[in-house]
Amino acid sequence: MTRDGVIAEVLAAARELVPMPGYVNGYDYSDWHMRASPSLMRGLAELARQQGDEELTEQLYRYSGPVCMEPLDPVLSVRKSPRLWCAASVERDGDPCADHTPKYAADLGRCVYNSGTRICREALVPGADVCRDHEGLCPAVKADGEVCGRPNCRIPKHREAGLARV
């Protein structure tokens, strides 16, 4: 095989590098990984740059560091692996980008219950803004920063604010 043929084959394989779920709890974002080290990804990016493939260069550099792993598939379930990801660069592994925090869940048509730093992936209850798992749970954020989370919350302050789902 010629040098150009080998380079083309390596770059074709590099195009297939996408985040993969871990062996256990593959739906947990912290378990997703690339099947290549960051240094290999940067090396492949440089090879793609030398070959004039700017799109692949940018993709490989982005995947060589921490990225937002928010699934972008229209139908999401923790029991199925996503096909599309945001993949925007982020500061730390496991963090979402600014556009994919629970604060923006309603804009994205996702469950608005804020149970952490990630948007809930379950399907919405028809006619509601939450999924079945979060239906009836109080979304009020307490003074300590924790979400109330009580089923059918009866705390007056939460009810007055119109936050408790009853």
Side-chain angles (χ1 to χ4, degrees):
M1 187 179 291
T2 67
R3 180 176 187 262
D4 290 340
V6 169
I7 290 172
E9 196 170 310
V10 168
L11 292 179
R15 283 184 209 293
E16 301 299 315
L17 288 170
V18 294
M20 302 293 293
Y23 178 68
V24 178
N25 295 330
Y27 55 82
D28 187 339
Y29 297 97
S30 63
D31 290 335
W32 284 64
H33 65 280
M34 295 300 295
R35 288 188 283 175
S37 68
S39 59
L40 178 58
M41 297 294 283
R42 288 188 296 272
L44 290 169
E46 279 303 314
L47 181 60
R49 183 187 312 281
Q50 289 175 4
Q51 297 301 307
D53 191 335
E54 291 303 314
E55 183 179 328
L56 181 58
T57 299
E58 192 267 325
Q59 175 185 326
L60 293 170
Y61 269 123
R62 187 174 60 246
Y63 283 157
S64 73
V67 295
C68 173
M69 290 297 299
E70 184 61 36
L72 300 177
D73 299 310
V75 177
L76 301 173
S77 171
V78 295
R79 290 154 194 85
K80 293 187 180 180
S81 295
R83 301 276 184 230
L84 303 167
W85 303 266
C86 169
S89 294
V90 294
E91 291 292 317
R92 293 179 301 161
D93 276 329
D95 284 350
C97 69
D99 293 338
H100 293 118
T101 58
K103 174 179 162 181
Y104 297 108
D107 298 341
L108 300 169
R110 307 273 180 85
C111 174
V112 298
Y113 188 81
N114 185 349
S115 59
T117 59
R118 287 286 181 177
I119 297 173
C120 176
R121 293 171 58 184
E122 291 299 322
L124 297 177
V125 172
D129 61 355
V130 292
C131 68
R132 290 224 186 277
D133 292 343
H134 295 126
E135 190 176 34
L137 298 182
C138 178
V141 178
K142 300 184 287 185
D144 63 1
E146 293 291 317
V147 175
C148 174
R150 292 181 186 191
N152 301 316
C153 179
R154 303 260 185 240
I155 296 175
K157 283 186 180 180
H158 296 182
R159 296 185 69 129
E160 286 171 16
L163 294 173
R165 298 182 203 297
V166 284

